[in-house]
Amino acid sequence: MSKPNPTRFYFIRHGEVEERYQKVFGGRLDIDLSPFGIEQAAMVAAHLRGTHFDAVYASPMKRAQRTLAPLLALNGYRPITLDGLREVDFGAWTGFTWDEVRARFGKSPYDWLHELETGGIPEAEPIPAYRRRVTGCVDEMLTLHPGKTVAVVCHGGVIRMALAYLLDLPLPKMAHFEVDYASVTVVDHRPGRPEVQLLNFTPWRLPA
């Protein structure tokens, strides 16, 4: 008997954000893309032009929707927007730069996943709620599109939470996985056998 096809996820992080929010814990701030971020989104769409998606999901936040737009223009997909794909709320860290977080809170910004997991960020979204909403979105996609190919345009934190869930790894371990602006990460899901096919691929870094 042949194995069933996996459900293949294409996780696409939004493009570079506007300059004043770079190296800032943006979280729930509804930030736009920078001019280069718009270019990145177009290059991701061009790279994926030959890939057929059975479903396209996206965060409702502006930076994700702006990244999604050129993919829709090229392929004519009808996306499904899920509120559960919003970026995590960084609470008291929101709007502060990485250096300001270190100075004001005495925490390393590089440890943000650990701090989220352990409740070390004041007023941040509780990690059980964050996990529930992201994994709920992933479960919905697995239920509705078994054996199909699904694009998910969202945020670095959401992608890391989805990877932690699909790979059955602790969230802080996802700090070892880079998720750049306008990157593509591909994961095949079979029950009990997830496989990462592509990690943090950035089409905008390819030679012209």
Side-chain angles (χ1 to χ4, degrees), residues 162-177:
L163 289 176
Y165 179 52
L166 291 169
L167 302 178
D168 193 23
L169 292 171
L171 179 62
K173 291 292 186 184
M174 298 302 102
H176 298 297
F177 293 176

Side-chain angles (χ1 to χ4, degrees), residues 9-128:
F9 289 97
Y10 279 72
F11 292 106
I12 303 163
R13 188 185 176 194
H14 61 79
E16 180 187 83
V17 296
E18 52 190 300
E19 185 174 0
R20 62 182 170 149
Y21 290 112
Q22 293 171 22
K23 283 289 186 179
V24 167
F25 284 93
R28 288 296 181 96
L29 298 177
D30 207 11
I31 302 164
D32 204 349
L33 298 184
S34 70
F36 183 54
I38 293 170
E39 292 179 23
Q40 288 176 320
M43 286 185 270
V44 169
H47 176 75
L48 295 174
R49 185 168 194 165
T51 303
H52 171 73
F53 296 114
D54 297 289
V56 176
Y57 288 82
S59 160
M61 303 188 85
K62 185 184 297 182
R63 53 196 185 272
Q65 291 291 317
R66 292 268 275 171
T67 302
L68 173 67
L71 184 65
L72 302 183
L74 283 176
N75 294 290
Y77 293 112
R78 292 187 175 182
I80 301 166
T81 298
L82 294 181
D83 194 66
L85 294 174
R86 288 178 175 272
E87 183 58 296
V88 66
D89 185 346
F90 286 109
W93 288 17
T94 301
F96 288 116
T97 67
W98 287 41
D99 288 341
E100 288 169 339
V101 162
R102 186 181 287 108
R104 287 172 176 262
F105 300 98
K107 302 287 181 71
S108 170
Y110 294 100
D111 293 337
W112 65 274
L113 286 170
H114 171 75
E115 297 297 343
L116 275 175
E117 182 75 20
T118 59
I121 302 178
E123 303 168 27
E125 183 175 3
I127 201 69

Side-chain angles (χ1 to χ4, degrees), residues 175-189:
H176 298 297
F177 293 176
E178 189 63 61
V179 183
D180 283 323
Y181 286 134
S183 63
V184 181
T185 293
V186 181
V187 181
D188 283 353
H189 177 271

